[in-house]
Amino acid sequence: MKLGVYIQVPFCRTKCTYCNFHTGVFPQGMYAPYVDAVVREISEHRALFAAAGVAQIKSRSVGPDAGPLDDNLKEVARVTLQHGSAVVDTIYIGGGTPSLLEPAALARIVDAVRGSFACALEEVTLEADPET
């Protein structure tokens, strides 16, 4: 089974009037802590899922307080739980404007995916603003 990984980088130089994504204009000093948090979440995803009760998923609910799952969420949870046998073939880094991050920060994110999942990358895509 193949998996794609999407990572959002919510930073923008300006907030576009047409944008409905959870993004904003933030000081550059927030970029490194955000990358640290993304890398940590990728590296610790198995423990985070287990702590949230996702490892105990049933066809009706996730965790003690969760409501019914729709079919799409059930499928995401099923694939997530079985990802040990799956291979990540695509990483998409979207935004906001991920091209605002330094190349080294982007490399850390891709390296975290490579270090936490079996990978046979066929595509790594970065959403970019031509000005950045």
Side-chain angles (χ1 to χ4, degrees):
M1 176 186 318
K2 294 183 178 182
L3 295 177
V5 173
Y6 174 81
I7 298 162
Q8 183 184 17
V9 177
F11 306 120
C12 298
R13 282 192 175 163
T14 62
K15 181 71 172 173
C16 299
T17 58
Y18 57 82
C19 181
N20 290 323
F21 292 102
H22 185 71
T23 62
V25 179
F26 298 98
Q28 194 170 4
M30 293 184 71
Y31 297 2
Y34 181 80
V35 170
D36 290 343
V38 168
V39 167
R40 185 173 52 253
E41 185 171 340
I42 292 167
S43 301
E44 298 174 358
H45 72 280
R46 286 183 182 89
L48 292 169
F49 285 170
V54 175
Q56 304 302 316
I57 188 166
K58 303 293 182 205
S59 62
R60 293 185 334 219
S61 64
V62 176
D65 299 324
L69 295 176
D70 66 26
D71 289 339
N72 290 334
L73 185 53
K74 286 179 193 174
E75 180 63 10
V76 167
R78 184 189 66 74
V79 169
T80 300
L81 293 173
Q82 294 177 353
H83 81 275
S85 62
V87 175
V88 173
D89 68 339
T90 303
I91 300 173
Y92 184 89
I93 304 173
T97 313
S99 55
L100 289 173
L101 297 181
E102 294 293 325
L106 295 164
R108 284 187 61 215
I109 292 170
V110 172
D111 288 345
V113 173
R114 285 184 173 145
S116 298
F117 297 89
C119 291
L121 294 174
E122 297 173 15
E123 179 179 356
V124 177
T125 300
L126 174 76
E127 189 174 337
D129 177 344
E131 293 178 6
T132 63

